Amino acid sequence: MNLLLAAQSGWGKSFKAQHVMEENIPDYDHVVVLDYKDEYRGLPKADLTSWWIAGPREMEWSASTWQEFIEENEKVVLARHERLQPDQWREMSARVVSGARRTGDVLIVIDEAHFVAPQKKKVPEPITGLATTGRGEGASSIWVTQRLAKAEEDVASQCQARLLGGFESSADLKKVEKITEYPVDLHNPQVRTVPHVPSELEPDGRETPESLQKHVEGDDTVGSEWIYSDNEGTRERRNTRGLAAEMTSTHYGKQGKGLKV
């Protein structure tokens, strides 16, 4: 299965992504996390994966070398070295994915997917192939992004399951509308009343706002609402508040300080 996990910045996206990874890592022989911002150090610290910094040296590795590396390091988080620019990271990610797809039963997680599969640039074939044909090879994928509008449309549309949070950008909301079959305003936290909300997507314990909301304490996001849907017809409203108690590993994603205006 291919899962699209997307929400605007500050929604708790990487936190939820880490929880989803924890649930699925034990089910795969091989796992590769392409960690653009080095947010998933909690997974190796909890002994769920190993950890490797991918930099200029690894930039020269072939797909075959990456295949050998993944076979030797069965479950690994690849953290982007700060010297690698987005275009270089995309090129290297294509070879990583190409090598990983040869290992058979593999879960590939692509963090900040709008850099690896951007809408306005040529996306390498191994990347688009992961979304379109990877499932037939035994490869599953999770695509994590905060800028859905900037992510390649073929990738987003080919995901059989979607876990979407809140968006306020009109461009992101238009992209959401293309891949959902319910009122897109549910994903705009600024909208209070949403007409024709399916009963399974109504908020729990309140009348309004009906749109997805996040829970904030001080400067910290402590939980958020999401909608899960898939091609089998499943639709659920989910809440991540209190999820930390269920997580095996600590989330190390960086939270920016607030600004006084």
Side-chain angles (χ1 to χ4, degrees):
M1 175 181 282
N2 301 318
L3 169 68
L4 173 66
L5 196 158
Q8 67 178 337
S9 177
W11 200 261
K13 167 181 52 63
S14 59
F15 179 86
K16 178 59 179 172
Q18 183 164 318
H19 181 260
V20 173
M21 289 181 223
E22 283 188 17
E23 289 187 309
N24 288 277
I25 283 173
D27 297 334
Y28 287 85
D29 294 332
H30 299 90
V31 175
V32 181
V33 181
L34 290 162
D35 188 358
Y36 186 83
K37 294 193 295 187
D38 192 16
E39 290 192 289
Y40 301 109
R41 281 169 287 151
L43 297 173
K45 287 190 176 184
D47 204 27
L48 296 174
T49 66
S50 55
W51 185 68
W52 190 272
I53 298 177
R57 178 186 62 172
E58 290 76 10
M59 179 71 194
E60 304 301 320
W61 289 3
S62 66
S64 296
T65 301
W66 278 113
Q67 178 185 355
E68 294 173 3
F69 175 87
I70 294 165
E71 288 173 343
E72 293 177 3
N73 301 272
E74 296 178 348
K75 299 177 181 181
V76 61
V77 173
L78 296 176
R80 179 184 65 95
H81 191 284
E82 60 184 8
R83 287 176 60 186
L84 290 190
Q85 299 302 310
D87 287 352
Q88 294 175 305
W89 178 250
R90 180 167 60 254
E91 291 173 18
M92 190 186 71
S93 295
R95 290 192 289 273
V96 173
V97 168
S98 183
R101 287 168 65 183
R102 300 174 189 174
T103 64
D105 179 32
V106 60
L107 171 63
I108 302 173
V109 181
I110 301 181
D111 184 46
E112 303 295 345
H114 53 283
F115 288 123
V116 176
Q119 181 66 63
K120 294 186 177 181
K121 292 190 178 183
K122 182 174 176 59
V123 180
E125 188 283 328
I127 301 297
T128 54
L130 176 62
T132 56
T133 63
R135 188 169 57 149
E137 303 168 348
S140 296
S141 59
I142 301 175
W143 305 76
V144 186
T145 182
Q146 63 181 350
R147 287 310 314 272
L148 192 54
K150 292 187 176 182
E152 218 289 319
E153 192 162 326
D154 285 345
V155 168
S157 63
Q158 288 294 328
C159 288
Q160 297 87 34
R162 297 151 293 280
L163 191 57
L164 304 177
F167 294 97
E168 295 179 27
S169 159
S170 59
D172 290 329
L173 288 167
K174 284 180 181 178
K175 201 73 163 279
V176 171
E177 191 171 24
K178 290 182 178 180
I179 56 178
T180 56
E181 298 180 352
Y182 51 80
V184 69
D185 276 345
L186 277 173
H187 290 281
N188 186 346
Q190 300 303 317
V191 174
R192 296 192 63 81
T193 303
V194 182
H196 312 300
V197 178
S199 59
E200 66 270 25
L201 301 182
E202 291 177 351
D204 184 27
R206 67 168 189 268
E207 293 185 4
T208 59
E210 293 174 304
S211 62
L212 300 181
Q213 301 293 303
K214 67 177 179 178
H215 313 296
V216 178
E217 293 180 2
D219 291 330
D220 298 324
T221 299
V222 296
S224 49
E225 295 178 318
W226 300 75
I227 292 178
Y228 172 84
S229 63
D230 60 33
N231 290 355
E232 303 301 317
T234 302
R235 296 191 300 194
E236 300 174 0
R237 190 175 184 123
R238 297 185 177 180
N239 198 325
T240 64
R241 186 161 198 164
L243 204 60
E246 302 178 19
M247 289 181 63
T248 302
S249 57
T250 302
H251 179 240
Y252 290 95
K254 296 178 181 178
Q255 178 95 7
K257 291 184 177 180
L259 295 175
K260 297 177 182 178
V261 180

